[in-house]
Amino acid sequence: MAQGSSQPKPGHRVAVIVDEGTNPFEVGVATELFGLPRPELGLAGPLYDVTLCAPTREVRMNHGFFTMTGVAPLDAVDEADTLVVPGRPDNVVPRGAAVRDAIRRTHARGARVMSLCTGSFALAEAGLLEGRRATTHWRWADIFRALHPGVLLEPDVLFVDDGDILTASGSAAALDLCLHVVRRDHGAEVANAVSRRLVFAAHRDGGQKQFVERPLPDVPDESLAPLLAWAQGRLGEPLTVGDLAARAAVSPATLHRRFRAQLGTTPLAWLTGERVTLACRLIERGEERLDVVAARSGLGTAANLRARVRRETGLSPSAYRRRFGQGGGEPLMS
């Protein structure tokens, strides 16, 4: 969590490159998440200052659905704190030299760089991903590996946060990554408010493996949604995997298989992640007593709370409160 503030600060500049053939959905995701006013947060303006920029005055979007005009020149990237590179369908054709150079110099001066869906091809073409972790859409994974064998591709995840370079696996995963960036910059409470306005989960478990085409089972598993909603309302209780299995009227082994198939994670990992998220929200809202946060979130002890929060956020509870809490810098009390 390299950046952050307890209150949204619109001074952070985001540039979105709109190149020939760019996917409109991903441009829309970036502008929706970063550039729209946030009345749900009591703000008249957006969380970030967003600029769309392009190498030409007119840009024909994917499949020629429309042509975008009136965007800023490509040198707008030189003022950006974060650069967003959406994908496009013709990934075997390299981006133009001007776009590659803009990506390269933006990263070289220390700005954060994000790709959405197959925008990772452009980052790799610019030389940013050599020897680094990244992801791309599962349908393009084999082609990506063939073109860029030096990249540490993780094809089964929704997104990869590698510090100053972040990559999303697909168009919908662009929402996951952009919400992750909002959470990273502004905290879980703000990200949850934005996700509620989007009517989109603030954090989706599992990876894109769950979306890879495969034959349907003869008897599909039942949805986990009712069980997840039931558990989320009882995180402070001593829930176990056995309790979840009993609620779903299945064996723990069957429950484990369903979590793996539908969410790409285990019941215990999901339960722990939900509890850490709740703990972070309690800290942001001003609860100063570590033992109270641990009890209300279901993490049990202050020691377990410290370990889990640090593992998930990279910060101690006190450091998390200083960055994202309402009350400022007073340390949390055990």
Side-chain angles (χ1 to χ4, degrees), residues 33-44:
L33 268 291
F34 298 144
L36 291 189
R38 290 294 165 199
E40 67 272 25
L41 299 173
L43 298 175

Side-chain angles (χ1 to χ4, degrees), residues 226-241:
L227 176 64
L228 303 184
W230 176 84
Q232 286 169 331
R234 295 164 174 80
L235 294 174
E237 300 176 12
L239 289 179
T240 65
V241 173

Side-chain angles (χ1 to χ4, degrees), residues 87-164:
R88 62 178 190 174
D90 51 347
N91 297 297
V92 296
V93 179
R95 303 283 182 125
V99 171
R100 296 197 305 272
D101 180 65
I103 296 170
R104 195 177 296 117
R105 71 175 185 265
T106 301
H107 179 255
R109 63 177 174 78
R112 179 169 60 187
V113 178
M114 301 169 52
S115 69
L116 307 180
C117 194
T118 55
S120 51
F121 280 80
L123 270 55
E125 292 160 10
L128 270 61
L129 299 182
E130 190 71 17
R132 298 191 62 158
R133 298 168 51 240
T135 192
T136 196
H137 194 286
W138 60 266
R139 290 190 64 185
W140 289 91
D142 290 341
I143 295 174
F144 188 95
R145 287 193 187 95
L147 291 174
H148 307 290
V151 180
L152 306 179
L153 188 68
E154 299 185 13
D156 296 334
V157 300
L158 293 175
F159 62 84
V160 169
D161 181 344
D162 200 35
D164 58 340

Side-chain angles (χ1 to χ4, degrees), residues 13 15 74-81 102 105-106 109:
R13 294 161 296 188
L74 197 57
D75 59 10
V77 304
D78 296 327
E79 303 297 323
D81 303 297
R105 71 175 185 265
T106 301
R109 63 177 174 78

